[in-house]
Amino acid sequence: MCGIIGYIGNKEIIPVLLKGLRCLEYRGYDSTGIAIHKGENLNVVKSVGKLSNLEEVLKKEHLLNGANGKNGKNGKSGHVSCGIGHTRWATHGEPSDINAHPHFDSDEKIAVVHNGIIRNYQEVRDSLIQKGYKFATETDTEVVVQLISYNFKETNSILKSIFKSVNELEGSYALGILFKQEPDKIYAVRREAPLVIGIGSGENYLASDSATVSQFVEKIIRLEDNEIAEISKENINFYNLKGEILKKEIQTVTRSKDILDKRGFKHYLAKEINEQAEVVSNLLKDFLPSHEKPIQFNHLKLTPDFLKTIDRILILACGTAYHAGLVGKYVFENLTSIPTEVQFASEYLNSKPLLTEKSLVIGISQSGETADTLAAVKKAISKGATFVGITNKQDSALADLAKEHLLISKAGLEVSVAATKTFLAQMTVLYMLAIYIAETIDSSNPKKLSLVKQELRLIPQLIDQTLTRQEHYQKQVLQYANNPDFVFIGRGINYPIALEAALKLKELSYIHASGYASGEMKHGPIAVLDTKVPVVSIIVPGETYDRVFQNSLEAKSRQAPMIAVAVDGDKKVESIFDTILRIPPITELISPFLTVIPLQFLSYYIAEHLGRDVDQPRNLAKSVTVE
Ligand code: AGP
């Protein structure tokens, strides 16, 4: 959940590091920092808070000029520039200047940036303290740099000190390391945390993701677990933990000049919500070119024999991806009749895994890096289940685990920390997978499947129509911006949307919100209702309509302000709801694609009105790489 950048070459170092950090800020924004070679020494500059704070410090120290972003005293053209940078999501020690990375050893001869967790840090720290080491911070990262320093003194070899330290450190982590005595090299280590090297001509890059590297170059090498790279300007050596040299494959990525373009929107979140029709449309073009033909999943190597014997489906995910999984449960059970369960990945880790070789496990993660999901999936795989991975990131740990059972949700880079377009993309893939399984095992009425496919093909244009109403939604929801609590209710396939809406409102606006199955309200939660707690009912025509209506009446009778998400032409809702967020008419089974949109806008506009940091809400990070 932290971001690492590194550069070695002839460019001015600080602007390159800052550009990289800007792309990586989604991974954490509690503090940022850089380390560069300056004269004989290593120079570390860091600051609590966002990247803009670091830029201010660099300007004050005359390391960065004003508007043109060029260097002050450092990295003159023609000289080899070498540096590393970091953006942090705090795990060990509060966000502060001192706990910000890079971290020095006591002699200030080694600087380290780190993403991940050192599990045995307390043990290593205690043993180093016994050897006379003093620690200035509360971080696990300082343990890494002090251990390397100790091992360097013991071995008098940079590489040996790294090999030895990595063998002693437990956990999941990625490291970028600079040594004062080696001004033209960066060392990198990967263990279960992403790290990519970008290869240029006479320059090389290091970053936590390939999107960042693709800003600069198109040739990349992905480090695998337990690999170490020794990166210089013209050359890169790769080693395993025994110190043996490895050969690595170079891959090509599409060069992307500006992955951070907001395309005229005020926030990435608004841009990403507005991209949802395109995202779903692109996926449908790939998988469902016509409703008359079976779904195409050519690259998914699940045999019909296996699909016909699946005894249960287990979906593992966290947060918004978990909500997509809950929608998937309804779709799988409706179309394939295969019992489907959805579990929070973090909870699955503590449960007894009731899986057989006939079980299908689906892991969903937009980042493909979520530690809980990865650990849960590994546990399920170890029980012999077949695993299908759904992720937005081809170069992720989840994608590696899925191997030939991988479905990429192709939503494009999602910068805003709150997931929106990746949610719709995950749902689309789940619907496609359910139809594919239903068609293969012949479990559903072909006419019904054809109808669902026909309706799905209309979804992009219905999303487009819904998006045209955003200004209207804005006017409708702002009157509720000062309410301290919200309750969202839905039933059946829209119960997960109630959960997702509550999550979105909490993350974006910091207003407390809960999502409930509407039938559960009377079993307790209704006690919280009064004139200050708006109830948002997701009420669409279909099997659940009458019951949601009844539950909404119960809420209304407790004087709660009532908001509905309802389809055009539904007059009945006008009798009880104060505000109606209208969506185009839609069948219940595919309604989540539309019902979620006004609720994304509700959260967005309220958060914006309250002056929240919409794209980077407090305390959060885009990928959560700690359990
Ligand atoms: C979504 O808005 C959240 N930021 C969060 O719940 C997220 O969905 C969750 O952490 C899972 O992330 P993943 O999809 O990358 O695994």
Side-chain angles (χ1 to χ4, degrees):
M1 17 231 278
C2 302
I4 291 176
I5 181 78
Y7 175 74
I8 181 152
N10 292 112
K11 288 194 181 128
E12 291 185 14
I13 185 73
I14 291 177
V16 175
L17 295 179
L18 292 179
K19 186 171 178 184
L21 288 176
R22 209 161 287 125
C23 301
L24 292 164
E25 218 180 357
Y26 74 91
R27 301 178 66 87
Y29 31 85
D30 288 333
S31 63
T32 50
I34 59 167
I36 54 174
H37 285 280
K38 189 182 176 200
E40 300 283 284
N41 294 317
L42 283 172
N43 191 16
V44 167
V45 185
K46 47 196 195 175
S47 170
V48 69
K50 294 195 175 187
L51 189 57
S52 48
N53 293 6
L54 177 68
E55 285 170 337
E56 286 312 309
V57 178
L58 288 166
K59 280 179 202 159
K60 268 192 208 138
E61 295 192 11
H62 307 290
L63 292 165
L64 183 71
N65 291 335
N68 63 9
K70 299 268 177 177
N71 275 5
K73 294 175 188 165
N74 272 284
K76 281 182 204 138
S77 235
H79 290 207
V80 177
S81 313
C82 179
I84 51 179
H86 187 267
T87 176
R88 176 173 190 243
W89 187 80
T91 57
H92 297 64
E94 60 172 15
S96 65
D97 283 345
I98 188 131
N99 288 334
H101 302 212
H103 287 285
F104 265 142
D105 66 319
S106 303
D107 303 328
E108 302 197 351
K109 288 182 176 166
I110 308 170
V112 165
V113 287
H114 163 216
N115 168 28
I117 294 276
I118 306 298
R119 282 214 187 87
N120 60 341
Y121 90 101
Q122 194 61 52
E123 218 174 282
V124 180
R125 186 179 159 117
D126 291 347
S127 114
L128 288 168
I129 288 172
Q130 274 178 12
K131 290 179 178 110
Y133 277 77
K134 292 209 165 57
F135 286 81
T137 78
E138 302 154 66
T139 64
D140 51 348
T141 310
E142 196 185 359
V143 168
V144 178
V145 71
Q146 300 282 35
L147 181 66
I148 296 174
S149 154
Y150 172 76
N151 284 326
F152 181 57
K153 285 174 192 159
E154 292 285 295
T155 60
N156 204 22
S157 151
I158 286 179
L159 274 173
K160 278 188 193 154
S161 72
I162 295 174
F163 297 144
K164 200 158 183 297
S165 304
V166 175
N167 279 305
E168 289 170 34
L169 293 169
E170 290 166 15
S172 320
Y173 50 86
L175 305 172
I177 313 164
L178 294 185
F179 285 79
K180 177 179 157 181
Q181 71 172 67
E182 202 139 35
D184 49 5
K185 274 187 188 157
I186 303 174
Y187 293 86
V189 178
R190 175 194 154 134
R191 177 177 286 170
E192 293 177 24
L195 214 46
V196 173
I197 292 169
I199 304 164
S201 160
E203 58 173 10
N204 289 309
Y205 296 81
L206 175 71
S208 295
D209 67 20
S210 54
T212 300
V213 167
S214 75
Q215 301 265 290
F216 305 104
V217 290
E218 57 189 19
K219 295 215 177 326
I220 65 160
I221 293 180
R222 298 178 203 284
L223 275 183
E224 304 293 330
D225 284 345
N226 297 317
E227 288 182 352
I228 293 158
E230 181 186 23
I231 310 164
S232 52
K233 186 164 121 24
E234 305 282 356
N235 188 35
I236 308 166
N237 294 322
F238 296 93
Y239 305 92
N240 62 18
L241 290 188
K242 291 184 201 149
E244 294 160 344
I245 296 222
L246 303 172
K247 279 209 164 138
K248 298 283 295 172
E249 191 192 329
I250 298 183
Q251 297 171 335
T252 306
V253 291
T254 312
R255 182 87 190 263
S256 155
K257 283 247 160 79
D258 193 1
I259 59 169
L260 295 183
D261 184 3
K262 285 197 189 129
R263 284 165 65 176
F265 288 95
K266 187 169 172 196
H267 297 103
Y268 290 110
L269 187 81
K271 167 184 166 282
E272 286 154 7
I273 295 174
N274 278 283
E275 285 170 346
Q276 294 182 121
E278 193 185 333
V279 166
V280 177
S281 165
N282 287 340
L283 283 166
L284 293 177
K285 268 184 215 147
D286 280 6
F287 297 128
L288 185 60
S290 145
H291 74 274
E292 284 157 350
K293 292 197 186 128
I295 294 260
Q296 305 291 320
F297 265 147
N298 300 337
H299 54 294
L300 200 66
K301 304 278 182 285
L302 295 174
T303 64
D305 281 352
F306 169 71
L307 294 176
K308 282 178 189 161
T309 56
I310 294 177
D311 60 357
R312 65 184 285 227
I313 297 173
L314 170 65
I315 302 178
L316 298 169
C318 307
T320 291
Y322 168 80
H323 299 149
L326 285 176
V327 172
K329 170 188 161 71
Y330 287 91
V331 184
F332 280 112
E333 292 189 339
N334 192 301
L335 300 182
T336 70
S337 300
I338 301 173
T340 304
E341 193 192 341
V342 192
Q343 279 201 26
F344 286 123
S346 54
E347 280 302 305
Y348 181 70
L349 291 172
N350 311 314
S351 73
K352 188 172 160 54
L354 302 173
L355 293 170
T356 70
E357 286 176 3
K358 292 182 185 163
S359 310
L360 177 68
V361 171
I362 302 173
I364 313 172
S365 168
Q366 84 73 30
S367 64
E369 279 185 40
T370 301
D372 288 326
T373 308
L374 293 173
V377 161
K378 282 180 195 162
K379 179 170 169 179
I381 292 173
S382 75
K383 299 293 161 197
T386 297
F387 167 59
V388 169
I390 300 178
T391 178
N392 202 34
K393 296 266 175 76
Q394 180 91 52
D395 60 325
S396 64
L398 193 88
D400 290 348
L401 281 176
K403 299 188 185 99
E404 57 215 0
H405 303 322
L406 174 65
L407 294 169
I408 299 293
S409 54
K410 291 188 183 169
L413 185 70
E414 190 175 67
V415 177
S416 187
V417 166
T420 52
K421 64 175 179 170
T422 53
F423 176 64
L424 267 76
Q426 288 162 351
M427 285 200 298
T428 310
V429 173
L430 287 164
Y431 277 73
M432 299 292 109
L433 185 59
I435 297 170
Y436 172 70
I437 296 175
E439 285 177 337
T440 314
I441 66 178
D442 223 6
S443 68
S444 203
N445 169 343
K447 265 200 191 147
K448 179 178 170 184
L449 284 179
S450 170
L451 196 67
V452 175
K453 290 199 284 186
Q454 242 169 302
E455 286 173 336
L456 276 169
R457 283 175 52 78
L458 294 177
I459 284 286
Q461 85 194 46
L462 293 175
I463 295 175
D464 253 340
Q465 277 178 37
T466 313
L467 292 172
T468 60
R469 305 175 182 196
Q470 54 196 277
E471 283 176 16
H472 192 56
Y473 296 146
Q474 180 179 20
K475 287 187 194 127
Q476 290 179 290
V477 300
L478 285 187
Q479 58 186 302
Y480 300 103
N482 294 313
N483 286 87
D485 279 293
F486 274 70
V487 166
F488 293 85
I489 59 173
R491 263 183 194 254
I493 202 158
N494 277 303
Y495 163 52
I497 301 305
L499 297 178
E500 172 60 9
L503 173 65
K504 223 70 319 162
L505 186 63
K506 277 181 284 205
E507 309 189 88
L508 293 172
S509 69
Y510 319 150
I511 294 173
H512 179 260
S514 298
Y516 294 107
S518 67
E520 273 298 295
M521 285 297 289
K522 57 187 176 292
H523 297 290
I526 200 164
V528 305
L529 298 188
D530 63 20
T531 54
K532 292 195 191 70
V533 184
V535 171
V536 185
S537 303
I538 304 161
I539 177 161
V540 292
E543 277 179 22
T544 58
Y545 184 93
D546 289 343
R547 289 195 173 103
V548 178
F549 193 86
Q550 172 57 33
N551 301 143
S552 303
L553 274 174
E554 291 154 10
K556 169 109 181 152
S557 64
R558 310 292 151 186
Q559 281 81 52
M562 297 299 294
I563 306 170
V565 174
V567 299
D568 293 341
D570 177 355
K571 294 260 177 238
K572 195 173 163 189
V573 287
E574 289 168 12
S575 61
I576 55 169
F577 289 97
D578 306 305
T579 299
I580 303 169
L581 306 171
R582 294 283 184 181
I583 56 170
I586 185 150
T587 314
E588 193 172 24
L589 185 64
I590 54 170
S591 60
F593 286 99
L594 297 196
T595 51
V596 73
I597 295 174
L599 300 175
Q600 292 170 335
F601 281 119
L602 176 143
S603 300
Y604 171 55
Y605 287 125
I606 288 181
E608 195 205 12
H609 179 80
L610 295 175
R612 305 298 190 229
D613 191 340
V614 169
D615 287 324
Q616 295 179 332
R618 70 183 180 197
N619 305 342
L620 300 181
K622 186 77 182 157
S623 48
V624 184
T625 56
V626 290
E627 277 176 29

